[in-house]
């Protein structure tokens, strides 16, 4: 059961990531204070950056579904943290208008 949830999450992240990178996933970028976000950030750059991050998270989750043991799980968590830190840094520095 645990592996099937990993596969569902990995496939979902990959599909949404590809849609965002292709420019057809703007529906996934809704929410929050949209007017303020549009005034400060470039929406297309945000979509592409979020899409790349989701694709990387999907790949990492797919690989993690085949690994076992504490070191592999800690490495998976470290990879997720690195992806999120890089995404936030990129959004705050490169995606501003």
């Amino acid at each position: 059961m645990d592996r099937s949830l990993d596969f569902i999450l990995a496939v979902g992240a990959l599909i949404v990531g590809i849609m965002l990178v292709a420019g057809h996933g703007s529906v996934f970028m809704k929410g929050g204070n949209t007017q303020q976000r549009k005034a400060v950030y470039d929406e297309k750059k945000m979509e592409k950056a979020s899409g790349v991050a989701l694709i990387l998270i999907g790949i990492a989750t797919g690989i993690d579904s085949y690994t076992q043991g504490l070191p592999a799980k800690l490495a998976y968590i470290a990879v997720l943290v690195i992806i999120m830190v890089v995404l936030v840094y990129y959004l705050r520095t490169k995606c501003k208008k």
Side-chain angles (χ1 to χ4, degrees), residues 15-55:
I15 290 171
V16 173
I18 291 170
M19 287 177 67
L20 284 168
V21 169
H24 300 291
S26 62
V27 68
F28 298 111
M29 298 298 289
K30 304 294 183 214
N33 194 346
T34 307
Q35 297 295 351
Q36 182 183 11
R37 187 177 67 227
K38 284 184 179 182
V40 176
Y41 294 104
D42 183 2
E43 293 283 319
K44 291 298 177 184
K45 282 185 180 179
M46 283 181 65
E47 285 181 21
K48 292 202 184 286
S50 299
V52 169
L54 277 173
I55 289 170

Side-chain angles (χ1 to χ4, degrees), residues 49 53-54 56-57 76-94:
L54 277 173
L56 293 174
I57 289 171
Y76 172 66
I77 292 170
V79 166
L80 290 181
V81 169
I82 290 169
I83 291 170
M84 295 307 296
V85 167
V86 170
L87 175 65
V88 169
Y89 174 78
Y90 183 81
L91 291 176
R92 302 224 175 195
T93 59
K94 305 291 183 185

